[in-house]
Amino acid sequence: MKKSILALSITLALFSCKKKETTTDFTATDVTGTSVVKGNVNKNVITPNGVGAWTNTSRINMAGVVVTIKVNKGGAQGLYPNSTANGADVYSGTTDANGNYAISVKSNATGVSALITIDGFTGTQDTIINSVVKTGLYATYFGTSTTRTLFMGQNTTFDHNFTATNVSSNPNNITIGTAQLSGSISMNMALTTKTGTNPIINIPTGTNVAVPAGITVYMSLDKDPTTLVAKLYTATTDAAGRYSFTFPTVAASTPGFFQNATIWVADHAANRDTLRIVNGSNAPTTAGPSGVFNNSSTNQGGLFNNENRNATNFSFGGFTAN
């Protein structure tokens, strides 16, 4: 009997040792999740204030602005805080047509430190009147950055309102006024004269007469005081062949402004009729050949505030028959 009890005790001892040898080792798991960083980006524009003046506090949403988010992998508030991981994860996105962005970022339950950066840019501070955009002066829109702690499963919002800062090369203190330029356009017509019984005399060079009403006249000013680039104006001739421009310009001696203009007419398709003078009086015109009155131009410089440049007259450059 004693031998049986001893054998049973030895068997139980061996079984107990075998169970300890099959214990499963600990396996590390990834306890990270995601967070969403989102927001809106806009910039200020100039709009009428409703009482005859202007305000620069109105805002429009900005599309295409770059947003980046950097999360360190190691460190106290890194993605893997108890590790020796090096480097960082960088996420990026751009704002949509409504100025909104949303970027998914890997985070954890204890909180990761995320550096959110909204890039700046250079553009124009525009004016909006009745939904029509008037391009304005160039300006710098400075970006911004902030650090947020992100927890898995929780989102955060970071907005930014850009405010224009004029580029230093812009003449910010210019005085804008108006100037006028006017003149007349003529065209060369054939001419015949007759006195009494004398035969008709043809004048080979013809004579210059005022162009018809409605001829388009163009003027290009080398620097518009608002956009700081060349600007094109148009006018039409009246029944006497006259035209006139009234346009914004700057005061004389304003740095960077010459205010030179080129005025011209394009080719004009018409007949070169013959004018008739009989006994000193105008007679019915005789129809002439069809063709093109060739384009012509003239230049005027120094068109500053309060300038009234009249008698800027010139003629079509000639006639080419078909």
Side-chain angles (χ1 to χ4, degrees), residues 15-74:
F15 180 77
S16 175
C17 291
K18 186 176 182 180
K19 287 192 68 177
K20 288 182 179 179
E21 291 174 356
T22 59
T23 301
T24 303
D25 293 335
F26 172 76
T27 302
T29 58
D30 188 345
V31 293
T32 61
T34 58
S35 301
V36 176
V37 179
K38 57 185 177 179
N40 177 267
V41 178
N42 56 70
K43 74 171 185 177
N44 67 319
V45 293
I46 300 171
T47 56
N49 68 355
V51 291
W54 305 88
T55 178
N56 63 356
T57 57
S58 300
R59 295 192 165 273
I60 60 172
N61 295 321
M62 288 298 301
V65 176
V66 177
V67 183
T68 58
I69 304 170
K70 182 174 77 71
V71 176
N72 292 330
K73 291 185 177 180

Side-chain angles (χ1 to χ4, degrees), residues 111-124:
V112 297
S113 179
L115 176 63
I116 308 168
T117 301
I118 298 177
D119 286 358
F121 62 96
T122 299
T124 56

